[in-house]
Amino acid sequence: MAKKKPAGYVGRFAPSPTGPLHFGSLLAATASYLEATTNSGQWLLRIEDIDAPRASPDAEQYIIEALESYGFEWHGNVRFQSREIDRHLALVDKLLTDGFAYPCSCSRQDLANVPRGPLGRIYPGTCRRGCEGGDVAIRIRTNALPIAFHDVLQGRQEQLLEPESGDFVIRRRDGLIAYHLAVVADDFAQRVTHVVRGIDLLDSTPRQIYLQQLLGYPAPEYAHIPIGTNPSGEKLGKSTGAAAIATEEVRPTLVAALMALGQKPPAELAECRLDAIWSWARENWNMGVLTGQTNLPMPR
């Protein structure tokens, strides 16, 4: 039976400009792009540049040029998250006004000895009833009700936010908007319906769904693909020394990404034109082969 195409599919790729694209980034871009295009949908490019201290000089332009060299085509202009700050701050104010958020003056030193869970330090609710001090963060007030969702690849997921993560930050003490609020706000503003991204972000999804519930936003459909790993089994990334992907002779790297994503391209495909590689990929794309997997070793 032919796969039913979802109506109005809008996907996206949202890299942070902390360095050049590496093979793991290419896996996420390729999977999200092929899911969007094979579902007759739109694929958006958003640069998540709200954390200026972590940004790498010229990384934004490098990311865009690298994607262009691989033949990715996105709908509309590139969106820069840092240009949406006023809208993000308005949402912080709304959550405060509605009683879903509160100021917190706790420093890292104050929280140094609190219990840790799989998601990091579990905030003990110290400032829920008020706090003193100048610079404050803004935290979301969580509860112990389960946040559950079905991930297309990883199956049913459930998280209890209050005991597992505690009240999480949506605006930092330095005034910067935290990732969870920014991504929820921008996915809604861009009408994103499907999110395909790395499994390293799977544990973040319940917090984002909780924010969507508080703000009255619909939740996208989520599919978390396995992460790319180096020969030591470590996630490919800047911290593990992942090399930048080639941006000149890109065909072998793109075919290697398809292989890593379980698509079994013929060996001679790497010698074909770039548009022919993408044509083969669209005709043969099957994300379902990644179901239940968590790691994708990088081809040697």
Side-chain angles (χ1 to χ4, degrees), residues 6-300:
Y9 188 112
V10 180
R12 49 77 163 173
F13 178 55
S16 298
T18 56
L21 290 183
H22 52 75
F23 192 74
S25 307
L26 181 62
L27 295 178
T30 302
S32 62
Y33 182 66
L34 288 171
E35 269 297 288
T37 55
T38 57
N39 283 292
S40 303
Q42 297 183 20
W43 188 71
L44 311 178
L45 176 59
R46 183 172 74 227
I47 304 296
E48 299 198 330
D49 59 342
I50 55 169
D51 194 349
R54 294 182 63 241
S56 176
D58 304 322
E60 295 171 0
Q61 191 59 35
Y62 178 90
I63 289 171
I64 294 169
E65 292 175 355
L67 291 171
E68 289 175 338
S69 72
Y70 277 80
F72 289 95
E73 297 177 339
W74 47 89
H75 290 76
N77 297 324
V78 180
R79 193 182 190 102
F80 292 88
Q81 202 168 55
S82 60
R83 300 175 188 175
E84 309 298 323
I85 296 300
D86 288 345
R87 183 166 49 82
H88 298 159
L89 290 173
L91 289 177
V92 173
D93 289 340
K94 173 178 171 52
L95 291 164
L96 284 167
T97 300
D98 292 345
F100 298 134
Y102 61 90
C104 172
S105 61
C106 295
S107 65
R108 289 186 179 181
Q109 183 176 355
D110 294 332
L111 302 176
N113 297 318
V114 302
R116 297 185 67 91
L119 305 178
R121 291 189 178 94
I122 301 173
Y123 184 69
T126 307
C127 293
R128 274 189 173 192
R129 297 182 179 178
C131 66
E132 298 179 358
D135 296 334
V136 295
I138 304 298
R139 290 184 181 272
I140 283 291
R141 193 185 306 272
T142 59
N143 57 47
L145 298 176
I147 300 293
F149 69 100
H150 178 80
D151 185 272
V152 171
L153 295 176
Q154 306 303 331
R156 188 180 190 278
Q157 305 294 316
E158 181 177 303
Q159 199 175 99
L160 306 176
L161 294 183
E162 187 174 15
E164 292 185 37
S165 72
D167 299 345
F168 57 93
V169 172
I170 57 172
R171 197 206 71 194
R172 295 172 9 182
R173 287 167 64 93
D174 58 10
L176 294 178
I177 298 296
Y179 165 73
H180 295 303
L181 179 64
V183 72
V184 164
D186 293 342
D187 280 347
F188 175 74
Q190 293 186 277
R191 300 181 180 179
V192 170
T193 62
H194 293 71
V195 173
V196 178
R197 60 187 182 186
I199 198 173
D200 53 318
L201 292 170
L202 182 63
D203 284 342
S204 296
T205 306
R207 280 169 281 185
Q208 292 165 19
I209 290 175
Y210 184 59
L211 282 172
Q212 290 158 359
Q213 293 173 351
L214 296 180
L215 292 166
Y217 294 171
E221 182 175 278
Y222 291 96
H224 288 84
I225 69 168
I227 56 170
T229 58
N230 63 22
S232 299
E234 300 169 313
K235 173 193 169 185
L236 294 176
K238 185 177 179 180
S239 62
T240 56
I245 54 174
T247 55
E248 293 184 0
E249 180 48 78
V250 303
R251 294 174 299 169
T253 305
L254 179 56
V255 171
L258 293 171
M259 292 176 61
L261 290 167
Q263 303 308 297
K264 299 182 180 179
E268 61 270 20
L269 192 63
E271 303 299 324
C272 296
R273 298 191 320 270
L274 191 58
D275 60 344
I277 296 174
W278 280 119
S279 179
W280 183 94
R282 283 189 288 269
E283 291 174 4
N284 293 275
W285 175 243
N286 176 15
M287 189 172 66
V289 300
L290 301 174
T291 299
Q293 296 186 47
T294 58
N295 294 325
L296 294 174
M298 186 175 71
R300 294 180 182 273

